[in-house]
Amino acid sequence: KVRLENQVVRVGSDRFMQLEGIPVSSTIHDLQTHCNAAGHSLVLVAVDDHLAGGIELQPTIRPEARTIIDQLRAYGMELSIISGDQEQPTRSLAHELGIDRFFANTLPENKAKLIEQLQAEGRTVCFVGDGINDSIALKQANVSVSLRGATTIATDTAQIVLMDASLNQLAHLFELARNFEHNMQANLITTIIPGAICVGGVFLLN
């Protein structure tokens, strides 16, 4: 929502328009149903207190997405989509990417609640996001990743920012993390075992 000169312009979903008290006609609802059936999203535009029109958006998948998803799945990771979009476009996107679990119509604070629920189930959650609506979820996740060129609040909140502005290094990031974990475990073993032998030797000598 923004004020331009003497007018208030609102841009968002039908849910947002309803919250703002903007009437949405049955024609617009029918148009939205048609867009959702095609896997597209309809963003509504209102000027002052009147609906002015809509913008139909067709989601595009990053060219590297499928490869990254296959790599992460090979690591044994479970993948989910958490989206504020309508259910049908989210379902279509999940189907196209081969992701079984998805959450649609998710408000920003509910994205964080979903992550909290997964953590309560004993899962470690990595959240990848680039929008303003992702900031709360990025903060809640165990590991948070964003990309250069994302919204400022996303890059400021994320623990890791991929500087090539793509997901290409995401699998490499997890590979580094696993190698680091293995090294830590090896270092722990090489520290504890000699120490235990020394302590045992002291007791035996005594």
Side-chain angles (χ1 to χ4, degrees):
K1 180 168 65 174
V2 63
R3 178 174 291 277
L4 299 175
E5 297 180 351
N6 296 323
Q7 294 179 315
V8 176
V9 178
R10 296 172 174 87
V11 180
S13 65
D14 60 336
R15 179 179 56 199
F16 172 67
M17 294 300 169
Q18 291 170 5
L19 290 172
E20 291 290 308
I22 307 296
V24 178
S25 68
S26 58
T27 302
I28 295 297
H29 284 302
D30 292 341
L31 181 59
Q32 180 154 17
T33 300
H34 174 76
C35 290
N36 291 345
H40 302 170
S41 301
L42 184 67
V43 178
L44 303 181
V45 181
V47 179
D48 290 332
D49 296 327
H50 302 285
L51 194 64
I55 304 170
E56 184 177 357
L57 301 177
Q58 180 177 359
T60 56
I61 297 175
R62 287 178 171 272
E64 73 272 20
R66 289 185 176 84
T67 300
I68 297 300
I69 287 170
D70 290 341
Q71 291 172 340
L72 296 180
R73 193 175 280 119
Y75 279 125
M77 297 183 181
E78 296 182 18
L79 306 177
S80 300
I81 294 175
I82 303 178
S83 174
D85 206 346
Q86 300 288 333
E87 178 156 347
Q88 187 54 48
T90 306
R91 184 190 301 276
S92 298
L93 179 63
H95 177 74
E96 191 169 354
L97 291 173
I99 296 177
D100 296 328
R101 195 174 189 183
F102 67 90
F103 305 90
N105 290 309
T106 311
L107 296 173
E109 60 271 20
N110 290 337
K111 290 184 179 182
K113 289 180 181 178
L114 283 171
I115 292 173
E116 191 175 359
Q117 290 174 9
L118 293 171
Q119 292 168 331
E121 296 172 4
R123 301 171 188 269
T124 300
V125 179
C126 173
F127 186 86
V128 181
D130 61 359
I132 295 174
N133 293 340
D134 294 326
S135 58
I136 305 175
L138 287 165
K139 189 173 182 179
Q140 176 65 40
N142 299 93
V143 180
S144 53
V145 180
S146 191
L147 300 85
R148 183 174 62 85
T151 58
T152 302
I153 191 169
T155 54
D156 286 348
T157 305
Q159 298 165 329
I160 300 166
V161 178
L162 304 176
M163 296 307 294
D164 64 351
S166 77
L167 299 173
N168 286 319
Q169 297 301 316
L170 192 58
H172 181 57
L173 173 67
F174 283 105
E175 183 180 354
L176 288 175
R178 290 197 170 190
N179 290 338
F180 178 76
E181 183 181 10
H182 291 158
N183 288 339
M184 288 291 291
Q185 292 174 348
N187 290 338
L188 186 62
I189 291 172
T190 56
T191 301
I192 290 177
I193 292 179
I197 293 174
C198 291
V199 170
V202 169
F203 280 109
L204 288 173
L205 290 174
N206 288 338

